[in-house]
Amino acid sequence: MLAMNYRGPYRVRTEQRPMPEILHPEDAIVRVTRTCICGSDLHLYHGMVPDTRVGSTFGHEFIGIIEEVGPLVTNVKIGDQVLVPFNIACGKCNFCKQGLYGNCHESNSMATAVGGIFGYSHTAGGYNGGQAEYVRVPYANFGPTVIPADMDPDDAVLLTDVVPTGYQAAEMGGIKEGDTVVVFGAGPIGIMAARCAWFFGAARVIIIDHIEYRLEFAKNYAKCEAYNFKSMADPVVFLKKTTDWYGADVCIDCVGCEAEGNALQTFTGKVTLMQAGAATALQWAINSVKKGGIVSVVGVYGPPFNYVPIGNILNKGITLRANQASVKRLLPKLIDHVQTGRLNPKGLITHRVPLEEISDAYHIFSSKLDECIKTVLIPSAKH
Amino acid sequence: MKNEKTDYKNIPGWGMDIDPGNEPTYPMKNYTGDDHKRSVYERSNQQHADVEILKSNERPALSAVLGNTVPPSGISGMIRRYAFKHSEDRYRHWIPLILADRVNVVEGIIEDLSRGIIPNIFAESGIRAAIRHNPKGLLKKVIITSVVAGVILYALKKKK
Ligand SMILES: NC(=O)c1ccc[n+]([C@@H]2O[C@H](COP(=O)([O-])OP(=O)(O)OC[C@H]3O[C@@H](n4cnc5c(N)ncnc54)[C@H](O)[C@@H]3O)[C@@H](O)[C@H]2O)c1
Ligand SMILES: [Zn+2]
Ligand SMILES: [Zn+2]
């Protein structure tokens, strides 16, 4: 089968590889029909996630058709069209029981700080991902969810990560009616978080980035205000001023460890690797939220640590909430938002590329070329 | 960029998910108290480890399912085995892993060559897309790289 193959930072290609096999009685094999490139994949692509082994196949956002099931699989059957949450979760451990499906205790032997994730380095369990024609899906009784018959596959594939992550980012903000919400990052996740903030009753939603075409897109898609931090002398002062010198009620970090905009963060985080990437957006979020405000973090940071103003969290009494999205938990609600037309996930897709052209697709998404927001890869349909 | 005031109450779905009971919200939303049972819960069958799995020393045993891709091998594998002797709290875990990743890139090129593949590094890094969508940026990179290389070569020559 054709699959993506990571060869080192900024180098990926496709090649023929052995078919995945059932390794556990609750496994399924899925034939992938659509898969995306995510901002999270860029951390791998840029070589920033420790234990990313050469020869790995990435891809944690995919949908497809059940091709084979292990003897204990009862919840899905061969031929079902399924969307597969990016978290590998058993559904039974004490973390899963509390809805913490991104923190499953039985899916990652290699690190305790994160649950298993498809195609996301050995730090997230060493599983192959879905940027391939076929993929092994563990815990097939729990994760894979049959796609409603009337749902567009392009909407379905975005329900594996982008929509739940954006929604959870807003949810963790504990937004109250009338709140002003600031979202850092106008990538797919930030745009979705800004859109979802309205569901919780926000009265003002502001998105911050430095890429003009993304700000324009975000403004239209999420019906929010959009500002370019490159045109501000100081983003924190700008945000204080625009909130009557009070601070935002809720700040959301949808950027993570590859942030730009602060020379010291960039130098220590991206040039010299003295911290796990640049925590610029998180720093801005902490410093522009109101006293007693809430900072919600879905942007990804690597081990071992980052430089963040923890003293200000203390002195301002900030509540900090963060996690990987718990996809399965949110699916019923989000499928409803999509089916009733309140959410239009596929509106984020700007690029559709055959799997074979993966090297170019990564380059375009990574360098933010060709007005790219979200890329879908399509494995050939000849099987 | 011009920003106009939005009539936000007309945005489809506005306010639908307002819920005063959302506090405390996720991750504490569905707290059941099961945490006090620690690692006692119904567990799936143990997957047989058919390749070498490096296990975090912050847990007593393997998880029920395992990723079995790209087991440690070569020099990078030796470095990774060393890293896993130390907990996720230690630099001795993460710094060697980053080092192993870099060594692994060289091993990957040797592996390619040994299979008769000459890795097309330009194609792998998406040069076609760069030519099509960002020729100026590419040209700038080429010029900067050649100038830097030229200066280094010149300096080396002069030293001789
Ligand atoms: N928690 C989760 O479950 C989860 C799931 C998916 C993605 N993520 C993470 O969310 C983040 C965003 O993902 P994405 O797909 O939208 O990525 P992306 O790379 O497309 O978007 C990131 C955006 O942030 C902008 N940016 C850079 N520095 C900034 C700054 N200082 N302030 C504001 N904006 C800045 C970039 O220009 C870019 O547009 C990534 O870190 C990704 O790993 C988390
Ligand atoms: Zn993703
Ligand atoms: Zn679990």
Side-chain angles (χ1 to χ4, degrees), chain A residues 22 24-25 27-29 66-73 76-78 140:
Chain A
I22 302 271
H24 183 277
D27 280 359
I29 304 297
I66 303 269
E67 193 79 10
E68 198 186 333
V69 290
L72 293 183
V73 174
V76 286
K77 54 183 193 307
I78 292 171

Side-chain angles (χ1 to χ4, degrees), chain A residues 95-316:
Chain A
F95 299 106
C96 282
K97 267 196 218 159
Q98 300 178 84
L100 303 173
Y101 301 133
N103 313 95
C104 176
H105 209 50
E106 293 296 343
S107 59
N108 183 6
S109 299
M110 297 160 199
T112 54
V114 60
I117 300 175
F118 290 98
Y120 209 73
S121 85
H122 280 66
T123 294
Y127 298 90
N128 270 336
Q131 290 168 4
E133 287 177 317
Y134 296 88
V135 59
R136 170 193 170 216
V137 174
Y139 295 130
N141 281 332
F142 185 72
T145 303
V146 174
I147 301 171
D150 58 345
M151 182 174 277
D152 189 316
D154 286 345
D155 284 329
V157 75
L158 293 180
L159 282 166
T160 62
D161 180 343
V162 173
V163 183
T165 302
Y167 187 90
Q168 185 176 302
E171 181 192 29
M172 290 192 301
I175 298 168
K176 286 167 204 68
E177 188 173 346
D179 272 358
T180 295
V181 178
V182 176
V183 177
F184 294 92
I189 301 295
I191 296 171
M192 191 50 72
R195 177 64 188 82
C196 289
W198 298 120
F199 286 122
F200 293 92
R204 201 175 165 201
V205 179
I206 297 169
I207 201 163
I208 306 281
D209 202 300
H210 65 113
I211 300 176
E212 206 56 35
Y213 82 81
R214 289 194 154 199
L215 288 165
E216 197 62 47
F217 188 100
K219 193 173 81 172
N220 295 324
Y221 183 95
K223 314 264 180 286
C224 61
E225 296 168 50
Y227 299 99
N228 191 329
F229 68 75
K230 286 262 159 82
S231 67
M232 301 167 185
D234 184 330
V236 172
V237 174
F238 173 86
L239 288 168
K240 285 277 171 66
K241 188 169 173 207
T242 192
T243 52
D244 305 318
W245 303 100
Y246 201 78
D249 300 291
V250 176
C251 283
I252 305 181
D253 172 0
C254 297
V255 180
C257 62
E258 310 223 23
E260 302 193 29
N262 176 311
L264 190 61
Q265 286 278 2
T266 302
F267 179 74
T268 53
K270 301 210 285 189
V271 183
T272 57
L273 295 186
M274 286 161 66
Q275 56 165 330
T280 308
L282 183 51
Q283 179 181 327
W284 288 349
I286 291 165
N287 289 339
S288 31
V289 80
K290 70 180 180 190
K291 293 170 192 168
I294 299 175
V295 173
S296 162
V297 187
V298 291
V300 163
Y301 294 87
F305 56 74
N306 281 93
Y307 303 150
V308 289
I310 194 83
N312 293 357
I313 297 182
L314 170 92
N315 288 321
K316 290 171 76 173

Side-chain angles (χ1 to χ4, degrees), chain A residues 38 40 60-61 161:
Chain A
C38 175
S40 300
H60 57 269
E61 304 183 3
D161 180 343

